[in-house]
Amino acid sequence: MAEPRPDDPVAPPAEPRPAFERASTSVGRTRPREGVAIAAAVGAIAVATGLGWIAEHADLKESVPLIYVVAIVLIASRAGWRVALLGALLAVLANAYFFVPPAFAFPTKPRDLLMALAFLVVALVVGTMTARLHVYALVADRRARHAEALRGAARALARVEREDEVLRVAASRTAAALDGEAHVVVLAADGTVGDGVGPAGAVALPPGEAAAVVEAVGRGAAVHWEEPDTDAAVVASPLAGKGRGFGALVVRRARSQGWNEEGLALVEGMARVVADAYERVRLAGVAQRAELESRTERLRSALLSSVSHDLRTPLAVILGAATHLADRGDDLPLARRTSLAREIEREVDRLNRLVANLLSMTRLDAGAIRPSKEWQPLDDIVGAVAGRSERLLAGRPLVVDVPADLPLVPIDAVLVEQVLINLLDNVAKHTPPGTEVVVRARAPAATEVVVEVLDRGPGLASGEVEAVFERFRRGADSAPGQGVGLGLAVCRGIVHAHGGTLTAANRPDGGAAFRFTLPLDGPPPPDPRRDLADLDEGDAVEGSGT
Amino acid sequence: MIEPAPLVLVVEDEPAMTRLLTSILGEGGYRVFAVGTGRDAELQASSRAPDVVLVDLGLPDRDGIDVVRQLRTWMTAPIVVVSARGRERDKVEALDAGADDYLTKPFGAGELLARLRVALRHAARGVAGAPAVLDATDLRVDLERREVRVRGEVVRLTPTEWKLLAVLVRHAGRVVLQATLLREVWGKAAESQGLSHYLRVYVAALRRKLEQDPSRPRYLVTEPGVGYRLRDDADLAP
């Protein structure tokens, strides 16, 4: 683990905050690393003594203290200040014992003692200074990493757009940065505490935590406690946006890890980042709802104004035909009566489609349409639509061009059928009787199937290509009473719900082309058509009538 | 002695719809008794012993599906349910609960009469007497001789295609749920194994062999979101 542990054998450069003193110092310390450091320090002094002995024999006696100072610097830059002090003491003693005459005895002359004392002061100062530098380097490193963790969390959270996702990302980022367990608790509107949200979703709060969270929010400052049964040290840092606090970020670590100032600062920094992100998403949601409401309002008035015309026209035809039949039916020739009844039938079909589209649009707006996709061959649906659209197309020949080996497509059959019916309905509205209509499907890439509805009508006016998909929009050539222009908007909504796109264009050789894609997402299921060929070999045995 | 006209119990709460159904069915050669609630439906079904029951799933007092389930516990007469488009789940549920077929609102008079005709035909045959032969204009399927003829020509089917067609023939004219077809052709496990696309692929293969224009099937039609129906000429009549 790269993260320096707070119990590294170094002194904190500043006084720990009293509130957290207990956590950072009272924890039982097991120090395998300090034992090794002491052994290494003793070894270093021994080596320095050896080198000093060589120097003395090379007539370089004056450099012996320098050798010791180098050893102390080396010890202090690797181990903590306490080991550095030990090394300094050992060095002074060794120097005095081995090198200050009399050799192999401690000096007694005041002058030599004074020298030894001076050397001790130098050794101590050098040792502690070096150890301190080492600590500062560690702290700077740790702070840089914490700053990076905060920036990373802020970046990750900036991409998130849902409130619950903010909380999950926040928990996982915090847990990773602090090497502990983390979750976020958001107070309910009435100030009560429910479940927390961890990296994987909801987590139940251990007993007592809810009260601590409420306290942290109330105080506007981090609350810190220990849990003896789980051997954990916990911090709850309040989340506050522009207004009052709305929750807390809770981080749980092993007691042996404890909490020091940087750890706590990181928790508080994280809490600020999380609060900002949560606030942003929440406000965006509010703004979006307001926008949606005003759009819904505009739509509603557009709908009301078109309803009076476009719904009442077929109703008027139906009422007229029905009353005529009822009042004068006996006097009318059979052919006339039949034609009046068929008139009613046609208008009812139109009303039925209109109602279906209105319902779909409402459900699309509410996000209630979730395609229940199943892998299926497209020709099945195109066939059903072809059978049902004869009355709609009123004699326009329909050419179905769907290759038998088209891959299976994951779609909601009922919805895609509505898309095709609406597109054919649109063709019927805008093309002269008798012109050909083509439904064509192709799989140009392994990732999608493209379906086209092609006509030989007048095509789309320039500038209309995108506008046709707007709600309550009718083509300039539309005859009155031909629907409120919902059909294509519904098509686009359904295709989008499938993850595809719907576009319109003019065909180079005349007519309009509506084209939608259906993505082949996910692994396709095993296609039994491959087995069909094999099975055909066996059909002489069974099912052949012998 | 003349056999009395079959009695239809109509369970429908909209008076306008009840009037229309009574008129269409009356002229179609049925006797009609109409009730407006699920409670009355059960009372009248037991006292009048109708030949077929037509239930609108949107009843004021009870869930239509519950009515179907309740009736099915003791009644053998066929049940046809009426439901709106976009409520395919309701239809599947009603069929699962014991309904024999369904109609999607709004429907034409011809469709209504055809459904009732098919339902009564099946009821008359009973379970044991499932038809062994489907004889339509262009399509003849003989289950006993294991023979399929399209416009007089013998058509060869793979074993799976044959199994699938046989199930559809036994239910000729009626809708068969996807789940039922999967279970009967591929076994009980197929339902839960997500093999529903197998069914679609084999239906497409069957259509290529049986239909004149597979892209516009006349006999083997899809009921989107519910299942498949093998129509014979009786159903094709308006």
Side-chain angles (χ1 to χ4, degrees), chain B residues 93-157:
Chain B
E93 221 179 298
L95 291 168
D96 256 346
D100 295 80
D101 213 331
Y102 72 89
L103 277 161
T104 300
K105 260 204 244 179
F107 49 81
E111 213 181 337
L112 167 66
L113 293 173
R115 286 283 176 285
L116 291 185
R117 203 156 51 228
V118 169
L120 283 171
R121 199 174 60 202
H122 276 272
R125 284 201 202 100
V127 185
V133 176
L134 174 106
D135 202 355
T137 320
D138 288 344
L139 176 66
R140 193 188 145 83
V141 185
D142 188 328
L143 292 185
E144 269 162 29
R145 296 177 55 199
R146 302 185 76 93
E147 187 185 75
V148 184
R149 281 176 188 273
V150 175
R151 287 177 295 282
E153 299 281 321
V154 172
V155 170
R156 289 150 46 108
L157 300 181

Side-chain angles (χ1 to χ4, degrees), chain A residues 396 424-431 477-479 482-485 487:
Chain A
R396 291 173 184 80
L424 291 176
D425 185 28
N426 186 60
V427 168
K429 278 179 200 161
H430 298 289
T431 61
D477 60 324
S478 291
Q482 287 196 326
V484 288

Side-chain angles (χ1 to χ4, degrees), chain A residues 348 352 356 359-360 363 372 374-377 379-384 386-388 390 397-400 404 408 413-415 417-418 525-529 531-532 535-540 542-546, chain B residues 85-86 88-89 105-106 145-148 154-163 178 186 194-205 207-209 213-217 220-226 228:
Chain A
V348 167
N352 193 27
L359 287 176
S360 292
R363 288 170 63 215
S372 59
E374 284 184 52
W375 291 88
Q376 45 198 315
D379 43 2
D380 200 3
I381 294 154
V382 176
R388 264 157 230 220
E390 265 160 34
L398 174 65
V399 178
V400 175
L408 301 178
V414 178
L415 293 178
E417 186 186 288
Q418 192 177 2
D527 189 339
R529 281 178 293 191
D531 309 335
L532 283 181
L535 284 170
D536 275 334
E537 301 303 315
D539 67 4
E542 225 186 321
S544 66
T546 47
Chain B
R85 187 199 165 274
E88 275 64 31
R89 209 160 296 164
K105 260 204 244 179
R145 296 177 55 199
R146 302 185 76 93
E147 187 185 75
V148 184
V154 172
V155 170
R156 289 150 46 108
L157 300 181
T158 68
T160 309
E161 286 168 357
W162 176 257
K163 262 162 125 178
Q178 279 184 30
W186 283 275
L195 292 181
S196 58
H197 65 282
Y198 267 55
L199 182 57
R200 305 212 171 77
V201 169
Y202 276 93
V203 165
R207 279 193 187 130
R208 277 194 287 279
K209 293 187 180 179
D213 180 358
S215 66
R216 249 171 283 191
L220 209 179
V221 295
T222 305
E223 301 280 345
V226 181
Y228 293 91

Side-chain angles (χ1 to χ4, degrees), chain A residues 266-291:
Chain A
L266 179 55
V267 174
E268 282 169 11
M270 276 289 183
R272 269 194 302 279
V273 168
V274 172
D276 285 351
Y278 190 75
E279 197 91 316
R280 168 183 66 77
V281 170
R282 196 158 55 170
L283 289 177
V286 169
Q288 204 178 16
R289 274 192 291 280
E291 159 67 18

Side-chain angles (χ1 to χ4, degrees), chain A residues 167 171 182-186 193-206 209 248 250:
Chain A
L167 303 184
H183 57 260
V184 187
V185 182
V186 173
V193 180
D195 278 351
V197 177
V203 289
L205 302 190
E209 192 181 310
V250 182

Side-chain angles (χ1 to χ4, degrees), chain A residues 292-357:
Chain A
L292 193 71
E293 260 165 41
S294 87
R295 215 176 53 184
T296 313
E297 200 42 58
R298 282 201 303 278
L299 273 177
R300 195 171 294 143
S301 53
L303 175 64
L304 282 176
S305 64
S306 23
V307 155
S308 59
H309 180 260
D310 290 324
L311 281 178
R312 282 193 178 142
T313 307
L315 288 175
V317 174
I318 293 168
L319 186 65
T323 49
H324 194 43
L325 273 175
D327 299 343
R328 303 282 309 280
D330 288 348
D331 309 336
L332 295 172
L334 178 64
R336 183 72 192 114
R337 273 182 293 181
T338 310
S339 106
L340 280 172
R342 293 280 173 236
E343 195 87 31
I344 294 175
E345 191 180 329
R346 255 196 312 282
E347 293 303 318
V348 167
D349 275 348
R350 176 182 298 174
L351 276 180
N352 193 27
R353 281 195 300 276
L354 179 56
V355 169
N357 281 332

Side-chain angles (χ1 to χ4, degrees), chain B residues 6-10 33 41 44-53 74-78 120:
Chain B
L7 176 67
V8 186
L9 178 63
V10 172
F33 191 88
Q44 298 301 333
S46 64
S47 66
R48 289 177 192 267
D51 296 287
V52 55
V53 182
W74 57 269
M75 194 184 76
T76 53
L120 283 171

Side-chain angles (χ1 to χ4, degrees), chain A residues 87-406:
Chain A
L89 220 63
L90 278 177
V92 169
L93 289 177
N95 183 49
Y97 187 77
F98 293 114
F99 300 111
V100 178
F104 302 106
F106 288 106
T108 48
K109 280 191 260 174
R111 176 181 156 276
D112 291 340
L113 281 174
L114 205 64
M115 285 300 287
L117 194 66
F119 183 45
L120 179 67
V121 170
V122 168
L124 288 181
V125 169
V126 166
T128 49
M129 293 282 278
T130 311
R132 235 169 218 246
L133 269 177
H134 176 56
V135 169
Y136 281 133
L138 279 181
V139 168
D141 183 43
R142 194 153 46 186
R143 283 196 177 142
R145 238 167 314 158
H146 286 183
E148 183 47 48
L150 285 175
R151 272 197 304 277
R155 265 199 307 274
L157 286 169
R159 287 194 293 268
V160 174
E161 271 159 23
R162 290 210 333 268
E163 290 175 25
D164 57 333
E165 214 183 328
V166 166
L167 303 184
R168 278 206 307 278
V169 170
S172 81
R173 287 281 174 164
T174 308
L178 282 148
D179 189 23
E181 185 272 334
H183 57 260
V184 187
V185 182
V186 173
L187 302 184
D190 58 359
T192 55
V193 180
D195 278 351
V197 177
V203 289
L205 302 190
E209 192 181 310
V213 166
V214 171
E215 194 193 332
V217 173
R219 284 194 352 206
V223 168
H224 161 271
W225 70 98
E226 288 188 0
E227 286 174 352
D229 4 330
T230 53
D231 202 31
V234 196
V235 172
S237 187
L239 299 171
K242 295 194 178 59
R244 62 195 173 79
F246 57 84
L249 175 64
V250 182
V251 190
R252 186 170 262 101
R253 276 175 143 183
R255 267 208 288 196
S256 58
Q257 273 179 304
W259 288 101
N260 63 3
E261 203 193 17
E262 287 111 54
L264 293 166
L266 179 55
V267 174
E268 282 169 11
M270 276 289 183
R272 269 194 302 279
V273 168
V274 172
D276 285 351
Y278 190 75
E279 197 91 316
R280 168 183 66 77
V281 170
R282 196 158 55 170
L283 289 177
V286 169
Q288 204 178 16
R289 274 192 291 280
E291 159 67 18
L292 193 71
E293 260 165 41
S294 87
R295 215 176 53 184
T296 313
E297 200 42 58
R298 282 201 303 278
L299 273 177
R300 195 171 294 143
S301 53
L303 175 64
L304 282 176
S305 64
S306 23
V307 155
S308 59
H309 180 260
D310 290 324
L311 281 178
R312 282 193 178 142
T313 307
L315 288 175
V317 174
I318 293 168
L319 186 65
T323 49
H324 194 43
L325 273 175
D327 299 343
R328 303 282 309 280
D330 288 348
D331 309 336
L332 295 172
L334 178 64
R336 183 72 192 114
R337 273 182 293 181
T338 310
S339 106
L340 280 172
R342 293 280 173 236
E343 195 87 31
I344 294 175
E345 191 180 329
R346 255 196 312 282
E347 293 303 318
V348 167
D349 275 348
R350 176 182 298 174
L351 276 180
N352 193 27
R353 281 195 300 276
L354 179 56
V355 169
N357 281 332
L358 277 172
L359 287 176
S360 292
M361 200 75 246
T362 317
R363 288 170 63 215
L364 279 169
D365 274 347
I369 287 191
R370 292 228 171 71
S372 59
K373 294 190 196 175
E374 284 184 52
W375 291 88
Q376 45 198 315
L378 206 62
D379 43 2
D380 200 3
I381 294 154
V382 176
V385 169
R388 264 157 230 220
S389 59
E390 265 160 34
R391 209 153 63 192
L392 176 73
L393 288 173
R396 291 173 184 80
L398 174 65
V399 178
V400 175
D401 177 9
V402 181
D405 61 350
L406 197 77

